[in-house]
């Protein structure tokens, strides 16, 4: 088939032209390419002497000779200068090949082929440059034809895939890549050839002949055109990026590890609970680091064994002994909801697995187990180093690390990290990361263990100092609740107490030591003991708090020194500035700051006297009335010092409800104090219900955020002594009042059906009234109170307190108080605003005959 040469063919590049010379030496035929090369049209050239038309004058004589020789039948090739059209007289250089020819009549002529030498030199240069780039490139160069077979490849390409460069001609993509990679490259080649869009950085993975190592290549592809613009193939430049890929993978692994460590720092150890901390470790590790994991801790650590921590993991000495007992406290899997059966498990403490089963199932969550002596897990526990656990061919776990959890050079447990088949096995970098993760969790777990031990001790101490059971008091129905903070928060210093006082009076106390932990619980115990001691001295409430403030200040300062300087000194007491605490002494003193409300209730008068040291106000609910906050001056907290405490006396109605509480009941992070107080008052809408139910209702209604702080609640319903349970008389200061007192006591006891106590009461009343006449002053008052016990009180205006002493053998008196002490259940004296009161207490008869005094007791008076 005839086909014309399209524009842009090779002839255009080398600029080939032709013309012919007739027998007369003149131009006979002139091609269009000649016209383009020399810049002369056909009608201008035909019939002209070519020497005269194109050559310089100095060369014409020799040229004419050459033309004659050619016409004589001699061929000639040479370089001939010529003028370049349109370039201002510039000269070019043409290579002319002259071939003798004959006309139809047999005359001699010549055919001339002309090539522009400049174009030839450019092509030679281009070919040399192309060959240098293609052949000397350090990258693999390959040229695919339009049929996607290799047309040409450079030596670098051949070096990678074997053989010489020419050996690769005719090969296809399938000769270099396999499977999906070959299909992906083939489809990319087709797309580039069809669209002309270049593709850069095409990532390919494969192997080279003689090696099984996976190699990574980056390939750039672009379409190649002929001079006429026709697509003739695809050129590809391939670069081996295996090293870069490995470096990128290692960098990504390092970034992932750093991110995991950063996440571990933020998420592990937020809880002071052992099991929660173990779960936090697995939440970080799965699936970011491994596919499944488990945490085992020594049973001795979990049970609070106080032996040396190193003994937790001590091996059993009997034959075949394995590791000490561990408990599975956490496990996680990103593969399924449960750990796979294919993961090798330890020998359970209850016995080995089924006979022949070399890979028993792992223990369930919470199960206690042991690891066999020679197992990698037991070796890791003994050595404190990471061990590789062989995978089970039948399962899908192929890589496991047994990592001991080491805290303060003590192994406390074991973490197992596992990866399933399809995941990359653990490397050295992974081992280091696993060790770091386990170490961080181990420190947090050990801290949680130490905290739990201190928390339990503080809780035991705190509960041992609280009133046992349900407190009882004359004229009061009492219910109380104490809810300690959970293990996520330290034990606080909240306390309450119910103290029976002489004369069927009761002291109600609620306090809160500022600070937390064992030291706060110890401070609470010391202050509670001091409160009881001061209360039994029968001091007024304000006096009790003043004395307690001195005790608190002595406890808070190392050495018992003065602490005024820590609070600014000067005129008035100020709240302590935490920023100003620059010494350990100041920090210690802060623990012993405390708030306290102290109330004394008299069941005879139903009057209650309050004193407050920076505590929340008491709440009173009278029948048919809304709950009210009593206006008791708050005063300064105990331990601050410098300010007196005020008292407020309130008469409470029969059936009224009195509530004392700590701030954990009404204050939380999410609710301000005012809202909590109002909610507390609103919860006391049914004060007539049984008191236990009222307490439960309050705790169920209020949003206490239980666990954030301790909660103490003390509630008392007013039940004053009936009028007929009180006998009260005033006696003149004269001798006959002794007999009158005996008569009044006898009559009152008879009306109460307490005839069994008449004789003892008459005797003791006579002794007390006699002492009042002999040593006291002013009018005498006799009062008998019957409730759970019988109480007799003798009042006078004297300030001298009675003192029990041993009488000499020759003394006729001085044995009255000894007799009172022997015959009564209890006795004592207390100051009053106008003198003193001496009292004794007798147990009510229970139907059994009263015990008589022994000879030793009688002789003790002499």
């Amino acid at each position: 088939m005839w086909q014309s040469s399209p524009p842009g063919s090779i002839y255009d590049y080398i600029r080939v032209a032709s013309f012919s010379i007739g027998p007369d030496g003149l131009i006979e035929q002139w091609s269009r390419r000649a016209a383009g090369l020399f810049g002369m049209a056909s009608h201008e050239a035909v019939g002209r002497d070519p020497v005269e038309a194109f050559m310089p004058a100095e060369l014409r004589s020799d040229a004419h000779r050459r033309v004659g020789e050619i016409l004589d039948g001699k061929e000639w090739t040479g370089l001939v200068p010529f003028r370049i059209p349109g370039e201002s007289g510039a000269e070019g250089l043409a290579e002319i090949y002259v071939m003798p020819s004959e006309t139809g009549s047999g005359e001699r002529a010549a055919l001339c082929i002309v090539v522009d030498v400049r174009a030839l030199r450019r092509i030679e240069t281009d070919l040399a440059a192309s060959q240098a780039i293609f052949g000397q490139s350090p990258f693999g160069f390959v040229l695919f034809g339009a049929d996607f077979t290799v047309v040409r490849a450079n030596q670098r390409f051949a070096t990678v895939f074997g053989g010489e460069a020419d050996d690769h001609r005719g090969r296809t993509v399938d000769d270099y890549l396999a499977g999906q990679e070959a299909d992906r490259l083939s489809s990319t080649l087709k797309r580039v050839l069809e669209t002309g869009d270049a593709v850069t950085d095409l990532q390919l993975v494969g192997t080279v002949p003689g090696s099984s190592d996976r190699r990574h290549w980056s390939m750039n592809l672009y379409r190649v055109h002929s001079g006429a613009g026709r697509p003739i193939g695809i050129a590809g430049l391939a670069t081996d990026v295996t090293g870069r890929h490995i470096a990128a993978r290692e960098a990504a692994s390092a970034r992932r590890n750093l991110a995991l460590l950063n996440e571990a720092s933020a998420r592990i150890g937020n809880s002071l609970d052992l099991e929660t901390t173990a779960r936090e470790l697995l939440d970080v590790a799965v699936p970011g680091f491994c596919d499944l994991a488990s945490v085992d801790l020594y049973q001795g650590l979990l049970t609070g064994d106080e032996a040396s921590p190193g003994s937790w993991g001590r091996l059993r000495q009997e034959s075949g002994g394995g590791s000490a007992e561990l408990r599975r406290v956490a496990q996680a899997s990103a593969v399924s909801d449960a750990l796979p059966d294919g993961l090798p498990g330890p020998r359970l403490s209850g016995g080995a697995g089924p006979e022949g089963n070399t890979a028993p199932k792992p223990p369930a969550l919470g199960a206690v187990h042991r690891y066999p002596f020679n197992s990698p897990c037991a070796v890791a526990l003994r050595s404190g180093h990471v061990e590789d656990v062989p995978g089970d061919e039948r399962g899908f776990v192929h890589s496991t690390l047994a990592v001991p959890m080491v805290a303060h050079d003590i192994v406390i447990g074991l973490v197992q990290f596992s990866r399933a088949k399809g995941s990359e096995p653990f490397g050295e970098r992974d081992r280091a990361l696993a060790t770091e993760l386990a170490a961080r969790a181990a420190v947090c777990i050990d801290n949680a263990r130490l905290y739990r031990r201190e928390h339990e001790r503080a809780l035991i101490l705190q509960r041992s100092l609280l009133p046992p059971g349900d407190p009882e008091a004359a004229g009061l129905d009492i219910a109380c609740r104490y809810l300690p903070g959970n293990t996520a928060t330290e034990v606080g210093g909240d306390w309450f107490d119910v103290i029976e006082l002489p004369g069927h009076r009761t002291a109600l106390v609620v306090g809160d030591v500022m600070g937390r932990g064992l030291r706060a619980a110890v401070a609470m115990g010391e202050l509670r003991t001091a409160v009881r001691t001061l209360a039994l001295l029968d001091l007024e409430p304000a006096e009790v708090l003043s004395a307690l403030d001195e005790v608190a200040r002595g406890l808070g300062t190392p050495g018992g020194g003065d602490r005024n300087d820590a609070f600014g000194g000067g005129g008035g007491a100020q709240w302590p500035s935490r920023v100003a605490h620059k010494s350990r002494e100041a920090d210690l003193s802060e623990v012993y700051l405390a708030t306290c409300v102290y109330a004394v209730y008299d069941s005879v008068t139903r009057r209650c006297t309050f004193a407050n040291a920076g505590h929340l106000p008491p709440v009173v609910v009278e029948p048919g009335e809304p709950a009210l906050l009593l206006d008791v001056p708050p005063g300064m907290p105990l331990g601050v010092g410098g300010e007196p405490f005020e008292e407020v006396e309130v008469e409470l109605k029969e059936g009224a409800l009195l509530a004392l509480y700590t701030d954990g009941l009404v204050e939380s992070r999410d609710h301000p104090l005012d809202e909590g107080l109002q909610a507390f008052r609103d919860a006391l809408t049914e004060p007539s219900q049984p008191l236990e139910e009222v307490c439960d209702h309050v705790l169920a209604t209020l949003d206490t955020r239980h666990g954030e702080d301790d909660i103490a609640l003390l509630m008392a319903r007013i039940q004053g002594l009936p009028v007929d349970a009180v006998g009260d008389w005033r006696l003149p200061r004269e001798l006959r009042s002794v007999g009158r007192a005996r008569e009044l006591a006898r009559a009152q006891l008879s009306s109460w059906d307490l005839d069994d106590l008449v004789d003892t009461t008459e005797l003791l009343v006579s002794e007390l009234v006699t002492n009042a006449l002999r040593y006291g002053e002013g009018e005498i008052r006799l009062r008998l109170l019957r409730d759970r016990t019988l109480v007799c009180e003798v009042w006078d205006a004297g300030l001298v307190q009675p003192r029990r002493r041993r009488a000499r053998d020759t003394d006729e008196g001085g044995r009255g108080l000894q007799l009172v002490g022997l015959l009564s259940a209890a006795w004592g004296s207390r100051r009053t605003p106008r003198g003193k009161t001496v009292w004794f207490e007798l147990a009510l008869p229970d139907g059994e005959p009263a015990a008589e005094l022994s000879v030793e007791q009688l002789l003790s008076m002499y």
Side-chain angles (χ1 to χ4, degrees):
M1 178 180 293
W2 292 94
Q3 181 177 352
S4 61
S5 177
S9 68
I10 187 64
Y11 300 106
D12 284 334
Y13 283 105
I14 61 177
R15 302 189 70 180
V16 176
S18 65
F19 64 90
S20 63
I21 300 176
D24 55 2
L26 300 179
I27 297 174
E28 188 175 63
Q29 293 180 341
W30 188 255
S31 68
R32 292 181 180 179
R33 289 183 179 272
L37 177 64
F38 294 106
M40 183 178 295
S42 176
H43 67 275
E44 297 175 329
V46 173
R48 296 188 60 179
D49 185 344
V51 174
E52 297 293 334
F54 306 113
M55 297 189 67
E58 63 272 15
L59 300 177
R60 290 175 184 172
S61 59
D62 185 61
H64 282 297
R65 181 176 59 81
R66 295 287 184 187
V67 171
E69 292 176 354
I70 293 169
L71 293 177
D72 288 340
K74 186 177 181 180
E75 291 187 0
W76 179 82
T77 301
L79 297 177
V80 178
F82 67 93
R83 292 188 298 273
I84 300 175
E87 295 190 12
S88 303
E91 292 186 352
L93 187 66
E95 181 175 301
I96 299 179
Y97 178 46
V98 182
M99 297 174 288
S101 63
E102 293 182 359
T103 64
S105 60
E107 294 179 297
R108 293 185 177 180
L111 176 63
C112 300
I113 305 298
V114 184
V115 178
D116 189 346
V117 172
R118 289 192 309 172
L120 288 176
R121 296 296 179 265
R122 283 197 301 269
I123 291 174
E124 289 175 354
T125 302
D126 291 344
L127 287 175
S130 175
Q131 180 61 30
I133 294 174
F134 195 85
Q136 301 174 20
S137 172
F139 309 111
F141 228 122
V142 62
L143 179 63
F144 293 95
D147 58 352
F148 307 114
T149 62
V150 175
V151 175
R152 187 177 180 187
N154 68 352
Q155 187 58 42
R156 176 60 181 170
F157 186 87
T159 300
V160 174
F161 291 99
E164 298 295 329
D166 292 340
D167 298 337
H168 292 273
R169 296 180 184 275
R171 292 185 180 179
T172 65
V173 170
D174 295 320
D175 294 319
Y176 305 104
L177 299 174
Q180 295 181 350
E181 293 293 286
D183 295 341
R184 193 157 62 91
L185 179 56
S186 296
S187 62
T188 304
L189 291 173
K190 292 178 182 179
R191 186 173 71 253
V192 172
L193 185 63
E194 292 173 357
T195 64
D197 297 332
V199 173
T200 59
D201 197 23
L202 175 64
Q203 296 292 319
L204 298 172
V205 180
T207 59
V208 297
S211 175
S212 60
D213 295 337
R214 290 164 60 88
R215 309 295 297 178
H216 296 261
W217 294 284
S218 172
M219 197 164 192
N220 299 326
L221 300 171
Y222 58 93
R223 189 169 69 180
V224 179
H225 304 83
S226 66
R230 178 172 55 86
I232 61 173
I234 306 100
L237 179 64
T239 305
D240 191 328
V241 293
T242 304
R244 186 175 70 187
H245 181 81
I246 294 174
R249 185 175 59 188
E250 291 181 351
S253 176
R255 287 193 298 270
R256 182 201 64 187
N257 292 352
L258 289 175
L260 275 175
L261 289 177
N262 184 57
E263 184 181 6
S265 299
R267 296 180 60 182
I268 299 176
N270 293 323
S271 168
L272 289 172
D273 179 75
L274 277 71
E275 290 81 0
T276 302
T277 303
R279 288 194 296 271
E280 290 170 346
L281 167 62
L282 300 192
D283 289 341
V284 172
V286 180
F289 177 67
C290 60
D291 297 317
L292 57 156
S294 63
V295 177
D296 299 319
L297 297 179
Y298 279 122
Q299 182 73 346
L301 179 145
L302 295 170
T303 57
D305 185 0
E306 293 299 324
S308 171
S311 65
W312 292 332
R314 187 170 295 142
L315 297 177
R316 291 184 297 172
Q317 299 300 320
E318 62 267 24
S319 176
S323 68
E325 288 187 339
L326 299 106
R327 186 192 304 172
R328 177 68 46 94
V329 296
Q331 58 188 26
S333 173
V335 183
S336 61
D337 294 336
L339 290 178
D341 293 343
L343 182 63
R347 180 175 57 196
L348 301 181
S349 58
E355 185 176 356
N357 185 3
T358 59
K361 293 183 179 180
L365 186 64
V368 177
H369 61 89
R370 300 178 189 270
Y371 287 107
F373 183 84
N374 292 323
S375 66
C377 293
V379 173
L381 288 169
R382 290 197 302 273
S383 65
H385 300 298
V386 181
E387 293 290 332
D388 291 310
V389 179
D392 184 4
E393 296 181 357
R394 296 172 299 173
F396 60 85
V397 172
H398 74 108
S399 184
T400 299
L401 295 178
V403 186
M405 304 181 72
V406 183
H408 310 298
D409 296 328
I410 299 297
V411 177
I412 64 173
L414 185 77
V415 188
Q416 291 189 71
F417 301 106
S418 300
R419 287 180 179 174
K421 292 181 179 178
S423 299
E424 188 175 349
F426 291 112
E428 287 302 317
R429 192 189 300 272
D430 295 322
R431 292 170 67 92
L433 177 60
T435 303
E436 179 65 22
L437 289 175
R440 294 193 180 196
V443 171
C444 294
I445 288 176
D446 193 54
N447 290 339
R449 175 188 67 84
L450 296 174
Y451 167 78
R452 185 175 67 177
R453 184 177 65 180
E454 180 175 334
H455 184 275
E456 290 174 350
R457 290 177 177 176
L459 196 58
I460 292 172
L461 174 63
Q462 192 176 47
R463 287 176 173 171
S464 68
L465 295 173
L466 295 174
D470 296 327
E472 296 181 355
L476 292 175
D477 180 16
I478 295 177
C480 53
R481 294 290 186 273
Y482 179 76
L483 302 178
N486 57 32
T487 55
T489 59
E490 294 188 81
V491 171
D494 294 16
W495 91 91
F496 68 91
D497 209 345
V498 178
I499 307 170
E500 293 189 77
L501 300 177
H504 289 314
R505 294 174 304 126
T506 304
L508 303 175
V509 189
V510 169
D512 184 2
V513 175
M514 297 182 186
R516 293 184 175 277
L518 185 59
R519 292 168 63 235
V522 170
M524 178 270 284
E526 293 173 324
L527 292 178
R528 177 181 178 273
T529 302
V531 169
R532 277 192 159 265
T533 302
L534 294 169
L536 294 178
L537 294 176
D538 216 350
L539 302 176
E540 297 297 322
E543 294 178 310
V544 170
L545 292 186
S546 295
L548 193 62
D549 178 64
E550 293 294 331
V551 172
R553 289 200 292 165
L555 294 175
T557 303
D562 190 3
R563 297 191 321 156
N564 287 339
D565 292 343
F567 302 98
Q574 302 174 8
W575 281 102
S577 172
R578 300 193 180 198
V579 178
H581 291 177
K582 297 182 180 180
S583 66
R584 180 170 178 82
E585 287 77 9
D587 292 336
L588 287 172
S589 67
E590 186 179 358
V591 174
Y592 290 98
L593 293 174
T595 62
C596 179
V597 61
Y598 184 88
V600 175
Y601 170 71
D602 190 334
S603 62
V604 178
T605 63
R606 294 199 313 277
R607 300 187 71 83
C608 191
T609 305
F610 297 91
N612 193 351
H615 201 78
L616 296 173
V619 175
V620 172
V621 188
E622 295 187 341
E625 299 292 336
L628 297 175
L629 296 175
L630 288 181
D631 186 13
V632 180
M636 299 300 288
L638 301 175
V640 174
E643 291 289 335
F645 297 97
E646 301 181 43
E647 292 182 356
V648 172
E649 188 176 63
V650 178
E651 183 175 352
L652 302 174
K653 294 183 179 180
E654 184 75 17
L657 192 63
L658 174 64
L660 305 177
Y661 51 95
T662 57
D663 57 358
L665 181 69
V666 295
E667 187 177 20
S668 68
R669 296 177 182 176
D670 300 327
H671 300 286
L673 179 60
D674 291 342
E675 291 184 8
L677 289 173
Q678 185 60 49
F680 182 32
R681 293 165 59 189
D682 294 341
L684 298 173
T685 54
E686 298 292 339
S688 60
Q689 292 181 344
L691 208 52
E692 295 291 336
E693 295 182 10
V694 175
C695 286
D696 293 338
H697 175 71
V698 168
L699 294 176
T701 302
L702 297 184
D703 186 10
T704 62
R705 292 290 195 271
H706 176 228
E708 293 183 359
D709 196 2
D710 293 0
I711 296 174
L713 175 62
L714 177 61
M715 305 189 76
R717 177 172 287 121
I718 304 303
Q719 297 174 347
L721 290 182
V723 176
D724 59 1
V726 179
D728 195 351
W729 306 275
R730 296 181 183 275
L731 303 173
R733 191 171 186 77
E734 54 188 31
L735 292 177
R736 64 178 182 177
S737 293
V738 177
R740 177 61 178 163
R742 288 196 296 267
E743 293 174 0
L744 293 172
R746 184 187 309 114
Q748 187 64 65
L749 292 181
S750 297
S751 67
W752 288 340
D753 295 328
L754 297 177
D755 296 328
D756 293 343
L757 300 180
V758 169
D759 294 338
T760 303
T761 304
E762 275 191 287
L763 176 60
L764 299 184
V765 166
S766 177
E767 290 293 337
L768 294 187
V769 173
T770 299
N771 281 347
L773 288 173
R774 180 177 298 177
Y775 304 109
E777 299 177 7
E779 186 181 42
I780 299 172
R781 181 181 177 187
L782 172 65
R783 189 167 74 168
L784 294 177
L785 307 174
R786 186 198 67 185
D787 190 64
R788 292 179 295 117
T789 61
L790 175 68
V791 175
C792 175
E793 299 175 328
V794 176
W795 303 27
D796 69 80
L799 297 178
V800 179
Q801 295 292 322
R803 181 173 60 89
R804 184 176 177 180
R805 64 182 179 86
R806 181 176 295 276
R808 292 174 296 182
D809 295 343
T810 57
D811 291 342
E812 295 182 1
R815 298 177 177 84
L817 292 181
Q818 286 184 280
L819 188 62
V820 172
L822 288 173
L823 297 179
S824 64
W827 78 279
S829 67
R830 69 177 184 274
R831 293 182 302 165
T832 65
R834 297 180 181 179
K836 67 177 180 297
T837 299
V838 182
W839 57 272
F840 67 84
E841 183 176 338
L842 297 175
L844 298 181
D846 55 3
E848 298 292 333
E852 297 182 355
L853 294 177
S854 64
V855 175
E856 289 77 10
Q857 290 175 319
L858 292 173
L859 291 177
S860 66
M861 296 187 294
Y862 297 93

